[in-house]
Amino acid sequence: MNTATLVVGIAELVQPAAKEGDGRSPIEVTRDAALLFAGGIIIAAGPRATVAAHPRAHRAAALDVGGRAVVPGLVDSHTHVLFAGDRIDELARRTRGETYESIARAGGGIARSAAAVRDASVEALVDATLPRIDSMISRGTTTVEAKSGYGLSPEAELKQLRAISALAALRPVDVIATALAHAIPPEFETERQRYVSLFCTEVLEVAAREALARYCDVFVASIAFTPDEARTIAAAARALGLGLRLHVDQLADDGGAALAAELGALAADHLEHTGAAGRTRLAESRVIATLLPGCALFQADALWPDGRALRAAGCEVAVATDCNPGSSMLTDLTLCASVAATRCGLSLEEALWAVTCGGARALGLLDRGRLVPGEIADFVVVDAADWRALLYWPGDSRIWGVFKRGDRIFSGDRRTDEDDA
Ligand SMILES: [Zn+2]
């Protein structure tokens, strides 16, 4: 039997509820707590005296976190983290008043990232992405979704998915791959249906056969795929056993939330323009509503998604970084949670739920996000006794340690006041 580890000195243990709603707090906080795990799986968690009395606790190795708070490992459920090159000059042009659309028409935007991906090898894509994954880990992320979508040809989409699997083998975080139908390549603009068919047969079928993706995603928007094209792609994904997630209502309220409900998507992401009818449909259909507040933080002309209205409608809400080189160049999920609270109307408790249990649910993962027995021991030790410190310094890490399946994969080296004493 594996030696167990007993984590002690936990000032606050934060355990998200299995579901949001019913008027209860989305998280439960236990003071003076302990956590017991073995083989990377949680055995017991709760009040110190209760956990210490567990039979497996007696010969356990002790890990004292020195009076700090412990929260679940963060789950970033929507990213385009795998790309090549950068688009720094596009940021500069937008700050001078050019629009995303005008830059895209002049060959920038997704097409520019696609050209960089087409020219890169799998190894180069992996090398370019690893520092971003490391940055995510340093901010508490222990599970990350990564999408293709900068290929814009079947061959390059599959290259991206192969690079995503290679990433997963090089870092201790779990990487969940999604095949994304991101845009119609310009050369297919007059025969869109042919690209939709190619995506289904030459991307999704291969991805499913070679286990290169768990999900399919479609960007539904006037500049990307129509609802009917999304229906065709979703039907193909379902037949292949791939789960569905959608980018919807990012640029206008064009019925994307209702489409996500109709198609049984696990998650509907963006939702900047979703109105009351769409919010109700998401709640009724139990589609996880994912906010990507990095887009409004990064782009002056983007709207903040209305997290408060989504919660009031009864939606369960996740928050993700949407890490990408054009519209949300962010790897810090704690920053996104903080901004989801200050700009999108979530409480701090809802924001923490959104990046832990919410992110896990948005990826269909039931084995993480809550710090309860049977789950994997993914957790973050906050460098403060009050867990809310994690969200109180946006952009400035308050993380003492990040643990994946019980192993410490990041140590914060912040000096404390005591160091100066
Ligand atoms: Zn996205």
Side-chain angles (χ1 to χ4, degrees):
M1 197 181 286
N2 292 311
T3 307
T5 300
L6 180 66
V7 186
V8 295
I10 301 178
E12 292 186 336
L13 178 74
V14 177
Q15 291 172 299
K19 288 184 183 310
E20 278 196 304
D22 310 333
R24 289 173 290 115
S25 171
I27 62 168
E28 187 176 314
V29 178
T30 305
R31 296 198 165 74
D32 190 14
L35 178 68
L36 179 68
F37 64 84
I41 304 294
I42 296 170
I43 298 170
R48 179 169 52 93
T50 311
V51 175
H54 191 283
R56 295 290 305 277
H58 297 313
R59 273 183 295 182
L63 169 67
D64 189 343
V65 298
R68 294 178 169 88
V70 169
V71 305
L74 308 187
V75 180
D76 193 345
S77 63
H78 181 137
T79 88
H80 309 255
V81 66
L82 187 108
F83 57 84
D86 66 58
R87 283 157 47 193
I88 295 172
D89 57 315
E90 291 183 17
L91 172 64
R93 287 161 66 180
R94 280 193 283 111
T95 61
R96 290 194 297 264
E98 282 190 67
T99 64
Y100 189 88
E101 284 73 16
S102 70
I103 291 170
R105 274 197 300 275
I110 292 171
R112 177 136 163 251
S113 290
V117 164
R118 267 198 289 262
D119 289 344
S121 64
V122 167
E123 294 71 27
L125 287 170
V126 168
D127 286 348
T129 303
L130 284 175
R132 293 189 282 274
I133 297 286
D134 290 338
S135 176
M136 289 174 161
I137 291 170
S138 75
R139 298 308 171 109
T141 296
T142 50
T143 300
V144 58
E145 186 251 22
K147 302 177 195 292
S148 71
Y150 291 130
L152 300 190
S153 72
E155 185 188 29
E157 293 291 326
L158 291 170
K159 179 168 68 177
Q160 270 203 290
L161 291 172
R162 293 199 170 95
I164 289 168
S165 342
L167 277 181
L170 292 170
R171 285 299 183 271
V173 290
D174 293 316
V175 181
I176 311 291
T178 296
L180 168 63
H182 206 177
I184 297 274
E187 63 271 27
F188 283 90
E189 199 39 72
T190 56
E191 39 181 359
R192 298 173 63 95
Q193 203 48 50
R194 197 159 83 79
Y195 186 71
V196 168
S197 301
L198 270 181
F199 187 84
C200 295
T201 54
E202 295 190 17
V203 179
L204 295 184
E205 281 187 28
V206 179
R209 189 169 64 235
E210 298 184 19
L212 291 172
R214 188 185 294 204
Y215 289 103
C216 168
D217 189 342
V218 186
F219 182 18
V220 184
S222 59
I223 58 166
F225 291 87
T226 67
D228 273 342
E229 289 164 349
R231 287 183 179 95
T232 301
I233 295 169
R238 189 178 307 112
L240 292 164
L242 298 171
L244 181 69
R245 39 204 330 104
L246 293 175
H247 284 65
V248 293
D249 297 343
Q250 181 180 2
L251 307 170
D253 183 3
D254 40 22
L259 180 70
E262 170 199 320
L263 294 177
L266 187 55
D269 300 4
H270 273 293
L271 306 170
E272 285 88 339
H273 292 265
T274 303
R279 291 191 289 265
T280 302
R281 293 283 281 120
L282 291 179
E284 286 168 353
S285 307
R286 307 212 64 80
V287 178
I288 304 285
T290 307
L291 312 182
L292 307 170
C295 293
L297 188 65
F298 198 76
Q299 304 176 100
D301 54 352
L303 284 189
W304 295 103
D306 192 342
R308 188 78 257 125
L310 287 159
R311 290 287 298 120
C315 293
E316 292 189 301
V317 171
V319 168
T321 60
D322 195 22
C323 175
N324 77 79
S327 62
S328 184
M329 192 53 243
L330 293 172
T331 52
D332 185 349
L333 190 50
T334 65
L335 170 63
C336 294
S338 183
V339 166
T342 56
R343 307 300 299 194
C344 307
L346 299 189
S347 67
L348 292 181
E349 290 78 9
E350 288 169 334
L352 198 275
W353 194 92
V355 294
T356 53
C357 192
R361 297 300 177 267
L363 291 174
L365 301 172
L366 300 176
D367 62 350
R368 66 197 70 192
R370 299 188 55 225
L371 293 182
V372 295
E375 282 199 354
I376 59 178
D378 289 0
F379 57 95
V380 174
V381 181
V382 181
D383 200 7
D386 184 336
W387 71 267
R388 297 171 301 180
L390 190 67
L391 309 185
Y392 182 53
W393 278 272
D396 183 5
S397 175
R398 283 297 189 273
I399 291 179
W400 181 81
V402 179
F403 292 76
K404 180 69 184 176
R405 290 189 169 81
D407 291 329
R408 191 168 185 173
I409 61 171
F410 173 77
S411 294
D413 57 2
R414 175 176 294 282
R415 284 166 58 82
T416 64
D417 290 340
E418 291 91 292
D419 294 333
D420 297 319

